[in-house]
Amino acid sequence: MDYCAQDIAEVLVSSEQISQRISQLAEQIIADYRDKELIIVGILTGSFVFLADLLRKLDLPCVVDFIAADSYGTDTTSAGQIHIEKDLSMAVEGRDVLIVEDIIDTGLTLSRLVPMLRDRGAASVKTCCLLDKPSRRQVTVQLDYVGFQIPDQFVVGYGLDFAHHYRNLPQVVVLKPESYATVPDPQ
Ligand code: 5GP
């Protein structure tokens, strides 16, 4: 994208790499969920681009719902706090859930969301993320489908933002340090 080309320090994952990897992930998911109906739970907001592309490759019966959730507090156990800003509109009881997330960092959000959906009676809960930063992990989380492992760098693009910007980039990038200062505050 031309409008912010000068802000980009490095393209970490290209749109071609993303597209290829999503096809592979979709094949795995289709094989694993044959004869089942999935409820796909996207974690807002960053997952929406990944989820939209993945969904269109999933040749199986599925429904989609979204949840806005984040972890808080310093307690690094899965029993810690989770703040649900927007809950699911569907019940997960007795259903096979696939959580779709943009990036796993500390792992805290997922480590609290998975037990919450199990407590609601989900038949199974699996996780799918585009990006994984294993070096940042504070808690162990089970990642069933992972797009790319990346180093400990702050990334934007393909749904991921800085101050609500850059979600529209078709690739995952690292910004130049000076570009953070020039992003307009949307509030
Ligand atoms: P955690 O795994 O620490 O609970 O949280 C993961 C969330 O932190 C992601 O959904 C995302 O909102 C945010 N996050 C972590 N690393 C990055 C990053 O490099 N870039 C962006 N834009 N968000 C990140």
Side-chain angles (χ1 to χ4, degrees):
M1 288 218 178
D2 291 343
Y3 86 96
C4 64
Q6 70 284 354
D7 298 343
I8 296 171
E10 185 191 350
V11 174
L12 218 55
V13 193
S14 70
S15 50
E16 292 78 16
Q17 287 173 306
I18 293 172
S19 162
Q20 265 186 12
R21 188 73 188 113
I22 287 180
S23 298
Q24 293 169 343
L25 292 176
E27 271 180 35
Q28 281 179 20
I29 294 168
I30 291 166
D32 292 351
Y33 287 94
R34 206 167 288 289
D35 302 324
K36 292 186 171 169
E37 185 185 284
L38 256 186
I39 172 163
I40 296 172
V41 169
I43 306 182
L44 291 171
T45 304
S47 71
F48 79 101
V49 177
F50 174 45
L51 190 151
D53 282 347
L54 178 68
L55 185 69
R56 283 173 288 177
K57 296 261 164 79
L58 289 180
D59 186 6
L60 45 75
C62 58
V63 296
V64 180
D65 203 348
F66 288 95
I67 192 165
D70 51 43
S71 57
Y72 64 95
T74 52
D75 180 3
T76 57
T77 69
S78 54
Q81 305 292 316
I82 183 158
H83 171 236
I84 306 291
E85 201 172 313
K86 180 223 164 283
D87 208 337
L88 296 172
S89 53
M90 297 179 201
V92 297
E93 193 176 350
R95 308 177 84 165
D96 294 298
V97 177
L98 179 65
I99 299 175
V100 175
E101 174 66 306
D102 52 358
I103 184 165
I104 310 302
D105 186 47
T106 62
L108 287 170
T109 307
L110 215 52
S111 75
R112 291 158 187 185
L113 197 55
V114 171
M116 191 190 90
L117 297 181
R118 291 211 173 105
D119 286 350
R120 290 185 184 184
S124 70
V125 182
K126 283 194 180 186
T127 57
C128 175
C129 64
L130 177 71
L131 303 169
D132 176 24
K133 279 193 213 173
S135 61
R136 292 263 310 159
R137 201 72 89 250
Q138 291 182 23
V139 284
T140 304
V141 280
Q142 187 187 324
L143 301 181
D144 298 290
Y145 309 98
V146 176
F148 302 91
Q149 288 197 338
I150 62 166
D152 180 11
Q153 282 179 297
F154 188 82
V155 292
V156 300
Y158 200 72
L160 290 114
D161 74 311
F162 170 68
H164 304 286
H165 286 267
Y166 301 107
R167 292 193 199 276
N168 50 332
L169 298 187
Q171 67 281 72
V172 175
V173 309
V174 178
L175 295 174
K176 289 180 187 162
E178 59 270 27
S179 56
Y180 292 111
T182 58
V183 172
D185 187 349
Q187 308 300 333

